[in-house]
Amino acid sequence: MVRRAVRFMALAPALAALFLVQACGADDSDPTGPDPDPDPDPATDVTVEGMVTERGTDEGVNDATVSGVRLDTDEQLFEVATDASGAYEATFEITDEPDEVRVEVVKEKLGTGLDSLAFSETITADFELAWGSPFSDPLDEDCLDLDPENVEIEEFGERWRIVDGDSALLLFDEFEAAQDGRDIIQSYGFTEHCFVNRPDAPMKYWLIDGTPPTASDDASLDKDCLDRDPENVEIEEFGEQWRLVDGESALLVFDELEAAQAGRDIIQFYGFTRQCFVDRPDPPMEYWTR
């Protein structure tokens, strides 16, 4: 019995040491060790905002597509559409900041706008878009330039005509009708007088720096206007001529099919919704508005 007790007591220190080693090895974490590696490239929040307007009217362009890419890699950063006022705003995150961002805006019929800007967390890019041409070759659009501020009325025999310097624009039988024509040109700020199929053009229209005019809120200005649906305008044969119709309403009559096609394309391209006249039934002046 004594011999066994001595043997047990001799083993006790060894077992205790083994227990301590296992206990210490059970938790291999070091509370005083280094933290996990921090993110070497934290993301930057970026906001891009601006306005898209029509040249000549300053009206906002609705539903234009605005997109941005980084110049060094052409990687797309955002794409967004403008609201009804022409405003847009886009946000995105980026970790590797570029030096420049290229912002582009696209709108059917109004072409594109492009700008390259230095990178920052807030980027502002405004665009002014000009209308294109309803023709594949812009030279096919027959327009004469004028200065609305230079337009005057002068007596011409027993009639009255509107002139822009040495250029005669319109001829009226009555002075009051000539005054109405002058007021319309100056109030809208028409800068181009355009024609389809001169010299006896069946269709005449006016533009403002290449932009179709928007109907005035002044009822005393547009005294004689008819509503039109540009998407409903069609060409139909009319004896040996061709005419444009909007449902049952006849709009214009042309001698040539090609001229009728040009007239239809212009109405639809510019989105003309009103056909206006001065001094009917044989109006010396005709103009179209949206």
Side-chain angles (χ1 to χ4, degrees):
M1 294 293 294
V2 173
R3 189 178 303 163
R4 290 177 181 172
V6 171
R7 185 178 180 182
F8 176 79
M9 293 179 63
L11 290 175
L15 291 172
L18 178 62
F19 175 78
L20 288 173
V21 170
Q22 290 176 340
C24 292
D27 183 6
D28 57 0
S29 64
D30 184 359
T32 63
D35 293 332
D37 291 339
D39 186 352
D41 295 312
T44 300
D45 293 326
V46 181
T47 299
V48 183
E49 59 188 7
M51 290 288 298
V52 181
T53 56
E54 284 185 16
R55 184 176 301 168
T57 67
D58 292 331
E59 293 185 2
V61 178
N62 182 35
D63 202 31
T65 300
V66 186
S67 60
V69 301
R70 52 186 303 156
L71 279 180
D72 52 355
T73 64
D74 282 337
E75 174 192 355
Q76 181 165 308
L77 301 173
F78 69 89
E79 182 174 293
V80 69
T82 57
D83 62 20
S85 71
Y88 72 91
E89 181 177 317
T91 58
F92 61 92
E93 290 186 349
I94 193 168
T95 55
D96 181 16
E97 299 179 2
D99 292 330
E100 288 184 292
V101 174
R102 183 175 66 239
V103 182
E104 181 178 23
V105 57
V106 178
K107 176 65 176 180
E108 182 184 5
K109 300 181 181 180
L110 287 177
T112 63
L114 190 66
D115 198 4
S116 295
L117 304 117
F119 177 82
S120 66
E121 294 184 15
T122 301
I123 300 173
T124 300
D126 296 327
F127 296 91
E128 188 180 57
L129 300 184
W131 280 73
S133 170
F135 305 106
S136 58
D137 184 354
L139 295 177
D140 289 340
E141 195 167 11
D142 183 8
C143 297
L144 301 177
D145 294 336
L146 70 139
D147 179 358
E149 298 304 319
N150 197 40
V151 168
E152 297 178 341
I153 300 172
E154 67 177 24
E155 197 168 359
F156 185 69
E158 295 183 355
R159 307 171 78 184
W160 303 88
R161 67 180 182 181
I162 295 177
V163 297
D164 172 22
D166 294 331
S167 300
L169 305 180
L170 301 164
L171 185 63
F172 298 84
D173 291 332
E174 304 294 337
F175 179 66
E176 290 78 7
Q179 288 178 315
D180 288 341
R182 177 203 58 197
D183 294 346
I184 290 167
I185 292 171
Q186 293 183 338
S187 294
Y188 275 107
F190 292 144
T191 58
E192 290 114 329
H193 190 195
C194 304
F195 312 86
V196 177
N197 206 29
R198 285 198 290 174
D200 298 318
M203 180 177 181
K204 306 177 184 70
Y205 59 104
W206 304 71
L207 301 174
I208 308 165
D209 294 327
T211 299
T214 299
S216 172
D217 294 330
D218 185 356
S220 65
L221 188 67
D222 299 335
K223 300 177 181 179
D224 185 4
C225 295
L226 301 174
D227 292 335
R228 305 302 189 195
D229 180 358
E231 299 306 318
N232 197 41
V233 171
E234 298 179 341
I235 301 171
E236 68 176 24
E237 199 166 358
F238 185 64
E240 296 183 355
Q241 296 177 300
W242 305 85
R243 68 180 181 181
L244 299 184
V245 297
D246 173 13
E248 296 181 355
S249 299
L251 311 183
L252 301 164
V253 178
F254 299 83
D255 291 332
E256 306 292 337
L257 175 60
E258 291 77 7
Q261 291 172 328
R264 176 202 58 197
D265 293 347
I266 288 167
I267 292 170
Q268 293 181 344
F269 179 82
Y270 288 122
F272 287 137
T273 59
R274 297 201 312 166
Q275 182 181 13
C276 301
F277 311 90
V278 177
D279 204 23
R280 284 201 288 176
D282 296 314
M285 181 176 183
E286 175 187 348
Y287 62 103
W288 295 73
T289 70
R290 292 181 292 168

